[in-house]
Amino acid sequence: MTLASLLQAHSQLAVPLHPIDVKDLGRQVSRYRNNKAQLKAEFAIVNRNPPLPQTQAKLRSNSGKNSFPKVLPYDETRVLLQPAPNESYSDYINASYIDSFDIPRAYIATQGPSKKTAPDFWRMVWQERVGCIVMLTRVFDFIKVVCIEYWKAENDEPFGDIAVTVVNKETLANFIVRTVRLRRGHEERDIKHFQFLEWPMHRVPDTSHILEFRRRVLDYTAHHNNFDGPIVVHCCDGGSRTGVYLALDMNLDMLLCESQIDVFGCIRLLRQMRPYMVENKAQYRFLYEALLEAYLTGDTVIPVLELASRMKMLSGKTSVGGRRINHFHEEFKLIQRLTPHLSTGVCAGGHRTDNRYKNRDVIMVPPDYARPYLTSFQGQEQSDYINAVYVDGFQRKNDFIVTEWPQRNTVNDVWSLVYDHDCNTVVMLIDPQTSTNFPSFFHEKGKQKPYGVFTPELISWQHYPNIRTMMYKIRKKTVSLQEMMMGTVNELKSTQFFVLECWPESNKVPTSTAAVIELFNMVDRWRLKTGNKPVLIVSPDGFSRAGVFCAAKIACEQITMHQEVDVFHAVKTVKINRPQLVNSPMEYKYCYDLVRTYVYTVATANNAKSDSTDH
């Protein structure tokens, strides 16, 4: 389709040349999902930008400061640095001022600093009194360095006359928050550096993750930013992903203030200030999807002190249109609506003919991009497949691995999973009687029993109220060429099994919420000793119970670190790679119950500690 035909199509389609009221946002997003021609036509119009002067950026003396020659600042909106003494053309940096929804020059969009341009970057941050930097790229992307770690100085050398030191770092599953101290002469400034980790070049991130990231940035700039300068935003080139983030931020402000959004007009405005802001149709559509999700979900973060009252409100019922609505059920229905469907194509490995028999249910198949691959090939098949899926935690990417109880033909594969991925923590949320449907895959007494090429030796066991544990040392019998090259021949590995005994097969939820919280604590203490390798969660069918454990664990970690909780976001997170996790309103409600018990347990422990200190 040519541009002319696209423009002709525009005259026949409802392109939103004016802001969209929030009540119409859902219908607009549905039109994009069902009518790709309209999205294509609209984005083609956005792409029609008259060329603006880029004289300074194209000077030969400045060309070496442009890491991506396609994305050059316009003369009218470029950031001018204060000239350095005895340095010609030292006022140039590949950076542009960007207006926000209601504030001129609210942001600076710039390319990711290189080794050559990092001193100029920090000069700009100091000059503009920047208090917050938003980084939307990893250092490596597509197996190449796209941005240096500019917050780290080589041999503690300053960047020009500015010394840079990281004084605090908080790592979460999808982003990192750093406190960076700048020192120039006798003056010091502490600024925040937010780095989003899960946004590959030319693609779009998960909507809930980027919305949560933006919430954290907004919380800091609204309450803790001590400087009056713009927010610096960059990806690798300062164009595509930077433009998406800025358009999202501006439209969310507009949504809050005026109950309207204007993606079309916002991007047209952004592109008048810097080229290539929002790169492709996928990013353009993503903006509408993210804005719709933000509008539908609202603020789901609950301060710990308000948890009891919020749960009381959610437990109540409201009459709408003559019917009684349970708020827990409505929240769960919204999560189901926002959970993306996994196509057969992205789950190709599990649907292969030679792997289908390894799945308890052919509908419950992991996506290839999120499944742990087996490297200890066993038998004649030499298969790398097991029905298991990674699930993110609160602080760590791929913090959990969820798998189904093995069948007779996959018992050995479970031990491959434990061994190959160093799963030194195995949590079993079911304690069934050995049967054809639930074959035994571990022994608790008697001699060592081999499982394929693995021989787990039972070292110790303990029995606690509602929980029992078993410690194993695992030896691998055969040796692969890879192991020989890595020097891990005959390497002994240890793992501890935690079996929850208070969740009968017939029960939808455990009989003891306190026991689940104690299981969280036992797992945490064990991981503190052994390192934060993935926790393997064994579910009866690969989804039930496991989602509750993962989501509640995420929420409890959030309480510990930030004294707030977002059960809605936690549940949505665990459903990304396996949509069936937390699969009923009852499981969703039980996640809240676990969180409430956790808050009570922590408060009781703190009070007891305080009393003992007083005496």
Side-chain angles (χ1 to χ4, degrees):
M1 184 178 283
T2 65
L3 178 60
S5 60
L6 285 172
L7 295 177
Q8 184 177 3
H10 156 242
S11 64
Q12 303 169 358
L13 296 169
V15 175
L17 300 178
H18 302 288
I20 300 172
D21 221 65
V22 291
K23 67 178 184 294
D24 299 321
L25 182 55
R27 287 192 291 272
Q28 183 67 28
V29 172
S30 294
R31 279 196 290 267
Y32 287 142
R33 292 171 181 166
N34 300 325
N35 191 340
K36 295 181 180 179
Q38 176 171 346
L39 181 71
K40 196 171 184 179
E42 186 174 325
F43 188 72
I45 298 170
V46 169
N47 262 334
R48 295 183 66 207
N49 295 111
L52 297 173
Q54 298 168 312
T55 309
Q56 294 300 313
K58 292 180 178 179
L59 289 176
R60 181 177 297 179
S61 56
N62 291 332
S63 61
K65 300 178 182 179
N66 301 314
S67 301
F68 295 81
K70 186 172 73 171
V71 185
L72 304 178
Y74 299 130
D75 292 342
E76 185 177 347
T77 56
R78 77 180 182 96
V79 177
L80 273 73
L81 298 179
Q82 296 169 357
N86 304 318
E87 288 187 34
S88 301
Y89 303 102
S90 59
D91 68 347
Y92 178 77
I93 184 171
N94 189 316
S96 308
Y97 291 114
I98 305 292
D99 297 340
S100 74
F101 162 65
D102 56 354
I103 302 173
R105 294 189 172 187
Y107 317 97
I108 290 176
T110 185
Q111 66 183 12
S114 64
K115 189 173 182 179
K116 181 176 182 178
T117 63
D120 291 337
F121 176 86
W122 287 117
R123 252 198 323 143
M124 176 184 72
V125 168
W126 189 276
Q127 171 187 303
E128 299 293 320
R129 293 187 56 79
V130 170
C132 178
I133 299 170
V134 174
M135 179 178 180
L136 303 170
T137 182
R138 290 177 178 265
V139 172
F140 292 94
D141 205 339
F142 286 116
I143 322 177
K144 65 178 181 179
V145 177
V146 295
C147 175
I148 68 164
E149 294 181 314
Y150 55 87
W151 53 91
K152 291 183 178 179
E154 292 186 8
N155 302 319
D156 295 325
E157 290 293 323
F159 294 93
D161 60 351
I162 300 175
V164 179
T165 308
V166 176
V167 295
N168 188 48
K169 176 182 174 182
E170 179 186 57
T171 301
L172 302 178
N174 299 292
F175 56 91
I176 298 173
V177 182
R178 301 178 180 91
T179 301
V180 180
R181 180 162 296 159
L182 309 182
R183 187 176 70 254
R184 190 179 199 182
H186 297 293
E187 185 179 353
E188 284 188 350
R189 300 177 186 173
D190 283 356
I191 67 172
K192 283 291 183 184
H193 183 275
F194 296 85
Q195 182 186 9
F196 191 71
L197 301 170
E198 300 302 321
W199 196 344
M201 195 183 298
H202 309 303
R203 290 169 58 187
V204 296
D206 176 77
T207 49
S208 58
H209 290 162
I210 195 65
L211 288 171
E212 170 60 14
F213 176 75
R214 187 259 181 184
R215 182 188 74 85
R216 288 291 302 275
V217 174
L218 184 66
D219 180 68
Y220 173 74
T221 55
H223 302 105
H224 305 99
N225 193 354
N226 297 321
F227 304 104
D228 53 5
I231 299 172
V232 168
V233 183
H234 77 85
C235 49
C236 57
D237 59 9
S240 57
R241 287 172 285 183
T242 298
V244 174
Y245 182 85
L246 292 176
L248 180 64
D249 193 52
M250 293 162 67
N251 275 279
L252 286 172
D253 283 345
M254 188 176 183
L255 182 66
L256 181 65
C257 296
E258 299 188 357
S259 299
Q260 293 180 324
I261 61 111
D262 189 3
V263 175
F264 182 88
C266 179
I267 297 175
R268 292 295 295 269
L269 178 64
L270 285 171
R271 289 192 168 204
Q272 291 174 18
M273 292 179 280
R274 187 171 175 88
Y276 296 100
M277 302 291 266
V278 184
E279 181 182 28
N280 52 47
K281 296 188 296 294
Q283 292 178 345
Y284 189 71
R285 175 178 167 176
F286 166 79
L287 282 167
Y288 281 99
E289 298 279 0
L291 289 166
L292 177 61
E293 179 170 325
Y295 167 63
L296 292 174
T297 60
D299 184 9
T300 56
V301 178
I302 307 171
V304 170
L305 295 178
E306 298 176 14
L307 179 61
S309 59
R310 184 72 67 90
M311 286 187 65
K312 183 178 180 180
M313 183 273 291
L314 291 171
S315 298
K317 293 184 177 181
T318 304
S319 295
V320 177
R323 63 190 184 97
R324 301 280 287 173
I325 291 178
N326 181 288
H327 296 290
F328 278 117
H329 285 211
E330 291 303 305
E331 275 198 5
F332 180 73
K333 284 168 59 177
L334 179 56
I335 291 176
Q336 294 289 75
R337 174 182 172 184
L338 296 173
T339 299
H341 171 72
L342 298 177
S343 66
T344 301
V346 302
C347 305
H351 286 295
R352 284 173 45 185
T353 304
D354 53 340
N355 287 333
R356 283 189 177 181
Y357 73 98
K358 299 180 181 180
N359 306 307
R360 285 185 173 270
D361 187 338
V362 292
I363 298 176
M364 194 72 52
V365 177
D368 291 335
Y369 62 79
R371 68 178 175 92
Y373 287 67
L374 303 182
T375 57
S376 293
F377 303 125
Q378 302 186 63
Q380 296 179 351
E381 297 175 358
Q382 301 287 296
S383 175
D384 64 9
Y385 179 78
I386 184 172
N387 191 317
V389 65
Y390 282 116
V391 173
D392 289 349
F394 183 70
Q395 299 178 68
R396 286 169 289 274
K397 187 77 177 170
N398 299 337
D399 204 26
F400 308 105
I401 296 175
V402 173
T403 192
E404 62 188 20
W405 190 283
Q407 305 170 80
R408 288 196 179 279
N409 60 312
T410 60
V411 165
N412 298 342
D413 292 338
V414 171
W415 286 103
S416 287
L417 182 61
V418 171
Y419 190 91
D420 296 345
H421 293 273
D422 294 326
C423 297
N424 48 29
T425 307
V426 179
V427 173
M428 304 184 58
L429 300 174
I430 182 174
D431 189 20
Q433 294 295 318
T434 299
S435 64
T436 303
N437 197 36
F438 292 103
S440 174
F441 69 97
F442 60 97
H443 57 284
E444 299 185 59
K445 58 183 178 179
K447 296 181 179 180
Q448 299 179 26
K449 179 181 179 180
Y451 297 90
V453 300
F454 301 100
T455 304
E457 178 185 356
L458 182 61
I459 302 298
S460 62
W461 60 94
Q462 296 288 337
H463 212 137
Y464 307 91
N466 296 311
I467 300 168
R468 71 180 188 274
T469 66
M470 293 86 69
M471 175 78 74
Y472 295 93
K473 290 285 187 181
I474 312 168
R475 186 181 298 277
K476 184 179 178 183
K477 182 171 60 178
T478 59
V479 178
S480 68
L481 178 60
Q482 181 183 12
E483 288 173 318
M484 294 177 65
M485 295 177 63
M486 295 177 63
T488 57
V489 176
N490 295 326
E491 180 182 2
L492 276 173
K493 296 188 178 182
S494 62
T495 187
Q496 183 160 203
F497 279 49
F498 297 83
V499 182
L500 185 67
E501 297 180 323
C502 60
W503 203 336
E505 291 183 59
S506 58
N507 281 36
K508 296 294 185 182
V509 298
T511 58
S512 171
T513 303
V516 181
I517 299 303
E518 179 56 24
L519 179 60
F520 288 170
N521 294 333
M522 291 173 71
V523 167
D524 285 343
R525 290 192 293 267
W526 170 244
R527 295 182 83 191
L528 194 62
K529 296 177 182 178
T530 58
N532 293 310
K533 302 295 184 180
V535 177
L536 179 61
I537 314 293
V538 181
S539 162
D541 47 20
F543 70 95
S544 61
R545 308 186 178 200
V548 171
F549 182 93
C550 295
K553 189 72 174 67
I554 290 170
C556 291
E557 288 186 26
Q558 184 180 11
I559 289 170
T560 301
M561 294 183 65
H562 298 150
Q563 290 73 56
E564 63 183 19
V565 65
D566 190 346
V567 176
F568 184 97
H569 178 69
V571 171
K572 191 168 182 298
T573 293
V574 304
K575 293 171 75 68
I576 291 172
N577 293 339
R578 175 149 284 180
Q580 297 85 355
L581 292 175
V582 189
N583 206 36
S584 68
M586 180 177 290
E587 285 196 338
Y588 182 63
K589 166 66 165 54
Y590 189 65
C591 290
Y592 272 96
D593 292 338
L594 282 171
V595 167
R596 179 173 57 188
T597 301
Y598 180 79
V599 170
Y600 174 77
T601 302
V602 171
T604 302
N606 289 339
N607 289 338
K609 185 177 179 181
S610 176
D611 290 342
S612 64
T613 303
D614 292 341
H615 292 293

